[in-house]
């Protein structure tokens, strides 16, 4: 087998970051990454099973790989569908040699050696009860300015609809010391933004008992060189006031909290085993809204959970109006294997789910149309992500995680380097983004040099 690999990744940020660690581990083992599956000796497929018959899509994709098997290539299925379907994958796609869930990745070097020795049925599926996390110094981060750090793996919440506790195993936190070491290394490499990752980051418990989640946020935010710290995703159950306080007190902590509510109806929340009520959630919202900073709030929602009545759904709509989210990611309920909800009758017809989804998204778009208006005239710090030549605009991101498209007519550099930070005056607001002009205000926002790029220069 040639020591080249091609990897395809689906799913959430956790999966994207897992792939960065897998890539780093493979490269450390002497493998070279290629961008074309035809050129690869090993094809890895990092899968997601959160919604919508995900396993069928995986098998469909594996079927397409079949044509490549005659060429001596090897195949590995990783991630959530691998964990969920296990050895069934070997039965349905016999040309696959390795099936491994995320809780087993720390054994990858050993699994790779077995693969090279010609073993054909390698599994990493038994680690869901592990207390260990996957810590590697060989993460191949794809963006040189902004990078993820996993602070907590797995999930013990067991929401009735969710596969994650079954696919990613028990909840386990890394030590604060090890997170700090990784963060410092990233700063030394030139990263200015760090994003903490976990299924429930705010359930973080430092095994050494040294730091709370909020303290860890502040500690990383205070590292010299760090400009932004984000975290995702949070669970309302464990959301504490000190997180809001930390954001208020620490300018580098981004003013954005993603706090999925899932439903506005206490009855549906109960059926979902979310273990909070609408009122309890709204109390957390009031903490966030009482902050000195304008903290952006976003959420995930599920429509059509078994038993959701018209009145329940209406409560979701009124909640959206009350909170005024900056973004809502809404999904139709889809029954997932192994979850408690799979045995509840999927009682809401698909047309009703679709209709509810449409109503929710329309309502949310209206809210964003007016609510984004609060930013008009503000000067926001924007991190440059790319350049859009057709519109002659730079595309960047605000601390609140909003997309900002801006022109550079007032400053020297038409295409400021990716990863630099600029002050931008907001001149127009749209439902999904802000539009503005970079301004020459070096005093208000000190300039940074970015690794490998030019110092950004503005006219005075
Ligand atoms: N059906 C629909 N949506 C789901 N989510 C998780 N599981 C399901 C499911 N079975 C949504 C939740 C979660 C987001 C990542 O995906 O809203 O917060
Ligand atoms: Fe998909 Fe959930 Fe697994 Fe992420 S944790 S890859 S969203 S199933």
């Amino acid at each position: 087998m040639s020591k080249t690999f091609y990897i395809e990744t689906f799913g959430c940020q956790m999966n994207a970051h897992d792939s960065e660690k897998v890539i780093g581990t493979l490269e450390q083992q002497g493998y070279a990454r290629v961008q074309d599956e035809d050129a690869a000796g090993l094809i890895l497929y990092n899968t997601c099973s959160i919604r919508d018959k995900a396993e069928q899509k995986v098998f469909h994709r594996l079927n397409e790989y079949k044509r490549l098997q005659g060429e001596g290539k090897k195949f590995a299925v990783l991630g959530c569908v691998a964990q969920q379907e296990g050895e069934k994958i070997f039965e349905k796609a016999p040309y696959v040699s390795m099936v491994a869930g995320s809780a087993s990745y720390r054994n990858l070097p050993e699994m790779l050696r077995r693969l090279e020795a010609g073993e054909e049925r390698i599994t990493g599926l038994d680690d869901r009860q592990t207390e260990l996390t996957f810590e590697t110094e060989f993460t191949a981060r794809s963006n040189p300015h902004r990078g993820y750090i996993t602070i907590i793996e797995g999930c013990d919440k067991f929401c009735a609809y969710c596969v994650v506790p079954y696919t990613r195993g028990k909840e386990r936190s890394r030590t604060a010391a090890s997170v700090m070491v990784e963060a410092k290394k990233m700063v030394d490499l030139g990263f200015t933004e760090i994003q903490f990752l976990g299924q429930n980051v705010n359930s973080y418990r430092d095994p050494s008992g040294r730091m709370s989640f909020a303290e860890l946020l502040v500690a990383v935010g205070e590292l010299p060189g760090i400009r932004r710290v984000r975290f995702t995703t949070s669970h309302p159950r464990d959301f504490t006031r000190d997180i809001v306080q930390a954001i208020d007190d620490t300018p580098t902590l981004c003013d954005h909290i993603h706090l999925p509510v899932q439903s506005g109806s206490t009855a549906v929340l109960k059926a979902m085993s979310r273990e909070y009520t609408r009122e309890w959630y709204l109390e957390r919202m009031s903490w966030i809204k009482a902050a000195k900073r304008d903290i952006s709030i976003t959420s995930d929602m599920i429509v059509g959970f078994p038993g959701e009545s018209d009145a329940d759904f209406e409560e979701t709509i009124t909640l959206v109006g009350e909170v005024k989210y900056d973004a809502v990611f809404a999904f139709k309920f889809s029954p997932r294997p192994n979850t408690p909800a799979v045995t509840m009758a999927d009682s809401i017809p698909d047309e009703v789910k679709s209709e509810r989804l449409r109503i929710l998204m329309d309502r949310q778009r209206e809210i964003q149309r007016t609510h984004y208006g609060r930013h008009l005239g503000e000067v926001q710090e924007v991190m440059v992500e790319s350049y859009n030549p057709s519109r002659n605009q730079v595309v960047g991101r605000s601390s609140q995680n909003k997309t900002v498209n801006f022109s550079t007519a007032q400053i020297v550099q038409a295409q400021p380097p990716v990863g630099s930070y600029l002050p931008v005056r907001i001149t127009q607001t749209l439902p999904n983004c802000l539009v503005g002009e970079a301004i020459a205000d070096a005093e208000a926002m000190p300039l940074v040099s970015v690794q490998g790029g030019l110092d950004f220069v503005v006219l005075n």
Side-chain angles (χ1 to χ4, degrees):
M1 176 178 84
S2 104
K3 284 189 99 171
T4 48
F5 73 97
Y6 170 82
I7 185 165
E8 217 174 329
T9 307
F10 292 84
C12 60
Q13 290 148 312
M14 291 286 284
N15 242 27
H17 185 45
D18 281 348
S19 281
E20 293 181 335
K21 295 191 214 174
V22 168
I23 292 165
T25 307
L26 280 156
E27 289 175 344
Q28 173 62 17
Q29 299 294 313
Y31 285 76
R33 186 177 182 191
V34 293
Q35 298 299 335
D36 176 3
E37 55 196 9
D38 287 314
L42 170 63
I43 296 178
L44 303 117
Y45 190 24
N46 192 3
T47 59
C48 167
S49 65
I50 196 84
R51 290 178 290 269
D52 306 329
K53 304 191 176 75
E55 40 298 325
Q56 283 177 23
K57 288 184 200 156
V58 170
F59 286 119
H60 184 77
R61 187 80 185 96
L62 287 176
N63 234 354
E64 291 170 11
Y65 282 161
K66 217 156 132 186
R67 70 176 171 90
L68 295 167
Q69 66 172 318
E71 301 171 20
K73 296 184 193 303
K74 306 238 179 192
F75 302 89
V77 183
L78 308 177
C80 292
V81 175
Q83 184 64 55
Q84 180 188 298
E85 299 295 303
E87 302 197 14
K88 268 190 264 168
I89 294 179
F90 294 135
E91 287 159 34
K92 292 198 189 168
Y95 42 93
V96 170
S97 306
M98 190 166 118
V99 174
S102 64
S104 73
Y105 294 165
R106 74 206 132 69
N107 303 324
L108 263 180
E110 187 235 324
M111 291 195 273
L112 288 169
R113 274 191 287 280
R114 289 167 55 196
L115 191 72
E116 287 158 22
E119 260 190 70
E120 289 183 342
R121 292 283 180 270
I122 303 159
T123 55
L125 299 167
D126 306 324
D127 291 346
R128 278 184 302 162
Q129 291 308 316
T130 185
E131 301 285 348
L132 300 172
T133 50
F134 178 33
E135 299 188 22
T136 169
E137 52 185 309
F138 304 116
T139 305
R141 291 193 166 84
S142 53
N143 180 318
H145 313 290
R146 161 191 313 150
Y148 298 126
I149 298 184
T150 311
I151 63 162
I152 180 168
E153 294 183 23
C155 177
D156 285 345
K157 290 283 190 288
F158 291 94
C159 301
Y161 50 81
C162 188
V163 286
V164 173
Y166 310 92
T167 61
R168 287 189 168 271
K170 256 171 63 166
E171 185 178 287
R172 53 216 189 268
S173 298
R174 286 173 63 181
T175 62
S178 121
V179 172
M180 290 305 293
V181 167
E182 188 166 358
K184 281 184 194 144
K185 272 193 196 152
M186 289 173 67
V187 171
D188 290 343
L189 289 168
F191 286 87
T192 57
E193 178 175 322
I194 286 181
Q195 184 163 357
F196 283 173
L197 278 187
Q199 293 304 330
N200 293 308
V201 277
N202 57 330
S203 310
Y204 178 80
R205 294 277 171 284
D206 179 3
S208 70
R210 259 182 53 204
M211 282 192 210
S212 67
F213 172 62
E215 286 164 347
L216 185 60
L217 277 174
V218 173
V220 171
E222 286 178 346
L223 287 176
I226 284 297
R227 307 262 311 213
R228 287 184 173 179
V229 182
R230 302 185 183 281
F231 54 95
T232 193
T233 197
S234 301
H235 192 296
R237 189 68 235 163
D238 296 329
F239 191 83
T240 46
R241 236 176 163 152
D242 57 350
I243 301 171
V244 182
Q245 193 61 48
I247 295 176
D248 245 351
D249 294 344
T250 319
T252 50
L253 301 190
C254 288
D255 38 10
H256 172 213
I257 295 173
H258 183 64
L259 198 60
V261 65
Q262 312 300 359
S263 168
S265 150
T266 295
V268 173
L269 290 170
K270 186 153 196 285
M272 288 176 164
S273 306
R274 292 290 285 177
E275 296 187 5
Y276 55 83
T277 61
R278 174 190 175 102
E279 290 68 34
W280 201 87
Y281 181 86
L282 284 173
E283 189 185 9
R284 269 92 205 133
M285 293 292 107
S286 72
W287 297 346
I288 300 171
K289 289 179 179 182
K292 292 193 283 294
R293 293 174 76 184
D294 170 17
I295 300 177
S296 170
I297 311 170
T298 57
S299 190
D300 294 344
M301 295 191 178
I302 297 176
V303 297
F305 188 77
E308 182 189 66
S309 65
D310 285 337
D312 290 322
F313 174 63
E314 188 50 34
E315 291 205 61
T316 294
I317 295 296
T318 57
L319 182 104
V320 161
E322 232 171 281
V323 175
K324 295 203 171 56
Y325 291 106
D326 273 342
V328 166
F329 304 91
F331 311 100
K332 294 195 272 186
F333 167 72
S334 89
R336 305 307 300 130
N338 306 321
T339 62
V342 82
T343 56
M344 303 174 187
D346 186 9
S347 49
I348 315 292
D350 192 56
E351 310 81 76
V352 177
K353 286 183 189 167
S354 298
E355 178 66 359
R356 288 181 183 170
L357 187 68
R358 190 190 59 73
I359 294 170
L360 175 56
M361 310 240 293
D362 286 352
R363 178 78 185 100
Q364 179 56 27
R365 192 169 310 108
E366 279 318 303
I367 289 168
Q368 285 176 215
R369 196 182 299 283
T370 50
H371 199 44
Y372 277 29
R374 72 190 189 278
H375 298 306
L376 208 61
E378 284 178 5
V379 174
Q380 297 199 353
E381 185 189 63
V382 177
M383 188 204 214
V384 174
E385 288 189 344
S386 60
Y387 177 69
N388 180 337
S390 64
R391 279 191 281 150
N392 194 20
Q393 272 179 332
V394 178
V395 184
R397 200 160 286 274
S398 71
S399 167
Q400 289 196 339
N401 209 29
K402 292 185 173 121
T403 299
V404 185
N405 298 308
F406 61 97
S407 72
T408 48
Q410 290 186 30
I411 59 173
V412 157
Q413 211 162 352
Q415 292 182 32
V418 169
S420 58
Y421 293 84
L422 292 178
V424 173
R425 185 179 310 284
I426 306 303
T427 53
Q428 189 190 358
T429 66
L430 298 168
N432 280 313
C433 72
L434 307 176
V435 181
E437 291 246 319
I439 58 166
D441 187 0
E443 298 259 305
M445 236 161 258
L447 304 173
V448 281
S449 65
V450 292
Q451 212 200 8
L454 297 166
D455 276 5
F456 185 72
V457 191
V458 293
L459 287 175
N460 280 311

